[in-house]
Amino acid sequence: HYLEVLRADIANTVLFARAERDMESVGLAYLHFTGKYENFESLSKDESGQILDSCIRILGLSKHYDGNSSMKPAKKTPTWIKSYLKTVASLHSLNLSGLEEWVKITFENSGLIESWNIQLLTGNLPLSIQPNNGIAFVCKRCTYSHLQPSAGICIKQSCHGSELDQKALDNIFNSDYFAWLSTKTPQRLRIEELTGQTRPLSKQRERQRFFRGDALRPKPLESELTHGIDALSVTTTMEVGVDIGS
């Protein structure tokens, strides 16, 4: 159960984070399909793979994966996938219905999806994380960023522009806060409330002790690692009326 919760949390906060904070948007890496597939119609193997990678990203960003509270099983091709593939088909003169079916069957045969949902909780999926290679493909119309050419089409649902400019990512860890933050050693930040509404009173005293860190019970009952509090959220009047240290 712990691994299932962890997978879902990583997907929600890292792989497919909202507001263009997913790992591909910030320039860290992208999910790459590693299952078996044949190139579609006149497309090259690389272009076919780019379409599959972009569809995986779209499924994730639209919350089509197991373990997500907004999971959306679908019998028909999801709207966002359909609009992206429609633009790809138009650009490359492809059969749209055939392209949709090819994507669906390729994913289903690999065990990646069921009812258009990524089977995130099963493990051993045909996916790998590909670090950026120093280049981003940025939509000229909406500035949406991709780490692979995406078959020449922006995946953003309200855009699907067909001009993607290549830009260097040499300074991504200096220019983007979240990219820079990913290079730092993880640190704990435990925050608790301490106000007049904190009840019972024993909870107030306990949080003061854990914040000060100088009155913990002997191990293994309590320890700084598991019980310590790094910051207290208090009212401006400090109605608890005690010195809780600095």
Side-chain angles (χ1 to χ4, degrees):
H1 176 70
Y2 170 75
L3 288 178
E4 291 182 355
V5 172
L6 182 61
R7 288 190 185 112
D9 187 61
I10 290 175
N12 189 51
T13 60
V14 180
L15 303 181
F16 310 120
R18 59 186 296 275
E20 297 185 29
R21 302 315 308 172
D22 61 287
M23 69 175 182
E24 186 165 351
S25 290
V26 301
L28 295 177
Y30 68 96
L31 281 180
H32 173 61
F33 181 70
T34 58
K36 294 181 180 180
Y37 65 92
E38 299 293 332
N39 54 301
F40 181 75
E41 291 188 356
S42 60
L43 294 175
S44 68
K45 191 77 170 180
D46 284 346
E47 289 172 327
S48 299
Q50 292 163 19
I51 292 172
L52 296 174
D53 290 348
S54 288
C55 285
I56 290 169
R57 187 183 182 191
I58 291 172
L59 286 174
L61 293 176
S62 56
K63 306 304 180 184
H64 282 279
Y65 57 85
D66 288 349
N68 171 60
S69 59
S70 303
M71 185 177 65
K72 308 170 183 177
K75 293 183 179 180
K76 297 183 179 180
T77 307
T79 303
W80 191 349
I81 292 282
K82 194 177 187 72
S83 63
Y84 166 72
L85 293 180
K86 181 179 180 180
T87 313
V88 169
S90 177
L91 178 66
H92 296 277
S93 301
L94 305 171
N95 178 274
L96 176 58
S97 60
L99 182 60
E100 289 181 21
E101 187 67 12
W102 172 76
V103 171
K104 182 175 183 288
I105 290 177
T106 298
F107 284 164
E108 286 181 340
N109 288 346
S110 71
L112 178 66
I113 69 168
E114 183 176 317
S115 299
W116 284 105
N117 273 337
I118 299 174
Q119 301 299 287
L120 184 72
L121 303 184
T122 62
N124 300 317
L125 293 178
L127 297 174
S128 65
I129 293 180
Q130 296 294 313
N132 80 69
N133 63 357
I135 298 175
F137 298 84
V138 182
C139 179
K140 195 171 183 179
R141 179 189 297 174
C142 71
T143 72
Y144 204 78
S145 184
H146 314 70
L147 293 184
Q148 48 92 6
S150 191
I153 298 297
C154 172
I155 72 155
K156 191 171 184 178
Q157 191 170 17
S158 59
C159 177
H160 294 323
S162 58
E163 293 184 80
L164 303 184
D165 293 335
Q166 292 190 37
K167 294 188 177 182
L169 277 176
D170 295 341
N171 298 318
I172 184 66
F173 294 104
N174 294 326
S175 60
D176 186 276
Y177 170 73
F178 288 95
W180 168 83
L181 190 63
S182 71
T183 67
K184 303 303 177 182
T185 302
Q187 293 183 328
R188 184 192 69 181
L189 181 59
R190 180 184 174 189
I191 304 173
E192 297 288 356
E193 175 187 323
L194 185 61
T195 68
Q197 283 71 48
T198 303
R199 291 288 186 270
L201 291 178
S202 60
K203 181 64 68 175
Q204 292 187 14
R205 293 191 292 270
E206 180 183 80
R207 290 181 178 177
Q208 292 170 35
R209 287 195 304 106
F210 289 168
F211 177 72
R212 291 174 63 100
D214 59 359
L216 296 175
R217 296 188 176 94
K219 295 180 181 180
L221 295 176
E222 294 177 355
S223 74
E224 173 62 27
L225 180 62
T226 57
H227 292 76
I229 295 176
D230 303 297
L232 288 173
S233 176
V234 302
T235 59
T236 54
T237 56
M238 277 299 292
E239 63 230 52
V240 290
V242 294
D243 176 14
I244 58 174
S246 60

